[in-house]
mmCIF file of all heavy atoms in Angstrom:
data_model
loop_
_atom_site.group_PDB
_atom_site.id
_atom_site.type_symbol
_atom_site.label_atom_id
_atom_site.label_comp_id
_atom_site.label_asym_id
_atom_site.label_seq_id
_atom_site.Cartn_x
_atom_site.Cartn_y
_atom_site.Cartn_z
ATOM 1 N N VAL A 64 24.888 -3.863 17.200
ATOM 2 C CA VAL A 64 23.791 -4.016 16.294
ATOM 3 C C VAL A 64 22.529 -4.072 17.166
ATOM 4 O O VAL A 64 22.371 -4.901 18.090
ATOM 5 C CB VAL A 64 23.924 -5.216 15.435
ATOM 6 C CG1 VAL A 64 22.735 -5.441 14.564
ATOM 7 C CG2 VAL A 64 25.199 -5.170 14.628
ATOM 8 N N LEU A 65 21.518 -3.250 16.874
ATOM 9 C CA LEU A 65 20.238 -3.278 17.492
ATOM 10 C C LEU A 65 19.196 -3.831 16.541
ATOM 11 O O LEU A 65 19.174 -3.613 15.378
ATOM 12 C CB LEU A 65 19.829 -1.765 17.916
ATOM 13 C CG LEU A 65 20.560 -1.122 18.970
ATOM 14 C CD1 LEU A 65 20.088 0.257 19.125
ATOM 15 C CD2 LEU A 65 20.537 -1.966 20.288
ATOM 16 N N GLU A 66 18.250 -4.620 17.143
ATOM 17 C CA GLU A 66 17.189 -5.193 16.404
ATOM 18 C C GLU A 66 15.898 -4.440 16.903
ATOM 19 O O GLU A 66 15.649 -4.340 18.060
ATOM 20 C CB GLU A 66 17.019 -6.647 16.649
ATOM 21 C CG GLU A 66 15.836 -7.341 16.037
ATOM 22 C CD GLU A 66 15.748 -8.809 16.402
ATOM 23 O OE1 GLU A 66 16.553 -9.321 17.125
ATOM 24 O OE2 GLU A 66 14.675 -9.361 16.011
ATOM 25 N N LEU A 67 15.105 -3.942 15.997
ATOM 26 C CA LEU A 67 13.974 -3.005 16.332
ATOM 27 C C LEU A 67 12.743 -3.707 15.631
ATOM 28 O O LEU A 67 12.636 -3.887 14.432
ATOM 29 C CB LEU A 67 14.061 -1.715 15.839
ATOM 30 C CG LEU A 67 12.971 -0.716 16.211
ATOM 31 C CD1 LEU A 67 12.833 -0.446 17.585
ATOM 32 C CD2 LEU A 67 13.200 0.580 15.407
ATOM 33 N N GLU A 68 11.678 -4.044 16.415
ATOM 34 C CA GLU A 68 10.350 -4.501 15.865
ATOM 35 C C GLU A 68 9.323 -3.575 16.432
ATOM 36 O O GLU A 68 9.231 -3.286 17.628
ATOM 37 C CB GLU A 68 10.061 -5.903 16.270
ATOM 38 C CG GLU A 68 10.977 -6.948 15.597
ATOM 39 C CD GLU A 68 10.626 -8.298 15.984
ATOM 40 O OE1 GLU A 68 9.718 -8.894 15.284
ATOM 41 O OE2 GLU A 68 11.016 -8.838 17.042
ATOM 42 N N ILE A 69 8.373 -3.211 15.554
ATOM 43 C CA ILE A 69 7.302 -2.286 15.915
ATOM 44 C C ILE A 69 6.011 -2.838 15.430
ATOM 45 O O ILE A 69 5.842 -3.275 14.240
ATOM 46 C CB ILE A 69 7.506 -0.863 15.389
ATOM 47 C CG1 ILE A 69 8.802 -0.239 15.836
ATOM 48 C CG2 ILE A 69 6.313 0.044 15.728
ATOM 49 C CD1 ILE A 69 9.124 1.128 15.223
ATOM 50 N N TRP A 70 5.051 -3.004 16.319
ATOM 51 C CA TRP A 70 3.651 -3.457 16.029
ATOM 52 C C TRP A 70 2.631 -2.380 16.313
ATOM 53 O O TRP A 70 2.657 -1.694 17.401
ATOM 54 C CB TRP A 70 3.323 -4.673 16.844
ATOM 55 C CG TRP A 70 4.147 -5.876 16.537
ATOM 56 C CD1 TRP A 70 4.029 -6.726 15.444
ATOM 57 C CD2 TRP A 70 5.203 -6.331 17.330
ATOM 58 N NE1 TRP A 70 4.973 -7.680 15.612
ATOM 59 C CE2 TRP A 70 5.774 -7.411 16.675
ATOM 60 C CE3 TRP A 70 5.855 -5.860 18.473
ATOM 61 C CZ2 TRP A 70 6.805 -8.163 17.289
ATOM 62 C CZ3 TRP A 70 6.926 -6.503 19.014
ATOM 63 C CH2 TRP A 70 7.384 -7.680 18.342
ATOM 64 N N HIS A 71 1.541 -2.364 15.513
ATOM 65 C CA HIS A 71 0.426 -1.564 15.895
ATOM 66 C C HIS A 71 -0.711 -2.501 16.333
ATOM 67 O O HIS A 71 -1.474 -2.247 17.291
ATOM 68 C CB HIS A 71 -0.103 -0.695 14.737
ATOM 69 C CG HIS A 71 -1.248 0.169 15.070
ATOM 70 N ND1 HIS A 71 -1.303 0.997 16.124
ATOM 71 C CD2 HIS A 71 -2.504 0.259 14.329
ATOM 72 C CE1 HIS A 71 -2.513 1.556 16.159
ATOM 73 N NE2 HIS A 71 -3.222 1.110 15.127
ATOM 74 N N HIS A 72 -0.841 -3.708 15.688
ATOM 75 C CA HIS A 72 -1.726 -4.776 16.019
ATOM 76 C C HIS A 72 -1.019 -6.057 16.077
ATOM 77 O O HIS A 72 -0.827 -6.612 15.088
ATOM 78 C CB HIS A 72 -2.919 -4.883 14.912
ATOM 79 C CG HIS A 72 -3.783 -3.620 14.847
ATOM 80 N ND1 HIS A 72 -4.644 -3.261 15.763
ATOM 81 C CD2 HIS A 72 -3.800 -2.615 13.969
ATOM 82 C CE1 HIS A 72 -5.339 -2.190 15.409
ATOM 83 N NE2 HIS A 72 -4.732 -1.802 14.340
ATOM 84 N N MET A 73 -0.751 -6.447 17.297
ATOM 85 C CA MET A 73 0.000 -7.742 17.538
ATOM 86 C C MET A 73 -1.022 -8.886 17.426
ATOM 87 O O MET A 73 -2.216 -8.650 17.771
ATOM 88 C CB MET A 73 0.692 -7.824 18.865
ATOM 89 C CG MET A 73 1.874 -6.907 18.951
ATOM 90 S SD MET A 73 2.648 -6.990 20.495
ATOM 91 C CE MET A 73 3.457 -8.563 20.441
#
Side-chain angles (χ1 to χ4, degrees):
V64 177
L65 292 176
E66 177 185 355
L67 178 71
E68 290 183 89
I69 301 175
W70 296 278
H71 180 52
H72 295 284
M73 289 179 75

